[in-house]
Amino acid sequence: MTDSTSRFDPVCPSGIAPIHIGDKWTAMVISLLAEEPVRYSDIRAQIGPVTAKVLTAALRGLERDGFVARMEQPGPPRSVHYGLTELGRTLLPAIELAVQWAQDHLGAMLDAQEAYDREHARRGRAELR
């Protein structure tokens, strides 16, 4: 019989897997770069209220994983563009699938969140009594 505490292989590469793809900014950046390389300032302007620090960290992580290439063009004015690598392009179908899932199930998920919040708000008031 298998010991349930060793369900996952200790040498499984999940520790190095690109789990961070699920974070808010990473999927947006990859989607934005699907067509062509984009300047840093344009990425920031198009994906919304992200700080420079957070966007830079997301881009560096994507670059480190081999999903994004940073291209610096010297000269006045200096510009930096980011583009998807071939490896990064392999993520596009998964992101498209996740977007479709969200479109199909967003209402149900929001309903579940509201029900959860209502129930826990009631419990919190009851515990205060």
Side-chain angles (χ1 to χ4, degrees):
M1 190 179 298
T2 305
D3 178 9
S4 64
T5 60
S6 62
R7 180 172 174 193
F8 297 101
D9 186 345
V11 292
C12 175
S14 63
I16 61 168
I19 299 303
H20 59 80
I21 292 304
D23 83 20
K24 181 178 181 178
W25 306 113
T26 301
M28 288 184 196
V29 168
I30 290 172
S31 297
L32 184 62
L33 300 178
E35 298 297 320
E36 62 186 355
V38 179
R39 289 179 46 215
Y40 176 89
S41 58
D42 292 334
I43 294 170
R44 189 163 177 215
Q46 290 184 48
I47 66 172
V50 60
T51 65
K53 180 179 178 179
V54 170
L55 178 58
T56 298
L59 286 164
R60 284 185 182 153
L62 288 167
E63 187 178 6
R64 181 176 184 264
D65 290 339
F67 301 139
V68 167
R70 182 181 189 273
M71 299 159 278
E72 189 170 332
Q73 298 175 350
R78 181 182 143 242
S79 67
V80 175
H81 288 72
Y82 290 88
L84 284 183
T85 63
E86 288 303 313
L87 181 61
R89 291 194 176 289
T90 65
L91 293 169
L92 291 171
I95 291 171
E96 290 170 10
L97 184 62
V99 167
Q100 185 61 53
W101 182 91
Q103 290 171 345
D104 293 346
H105 301 285
L106 182 61
M109 188 177 74
L110 292 174
D111 291 346
Q113 289 175 351
E114 287 177 16
Y116 178 93
D117 292 345
R118 276 193 309 273
E119 179 63 27
H120 284 79
R122 278 189 220 124
R123 285 186 191 166
R125 283 194 301 265
E127 290 172 5
L128 292 175
R129 293 181 192 160

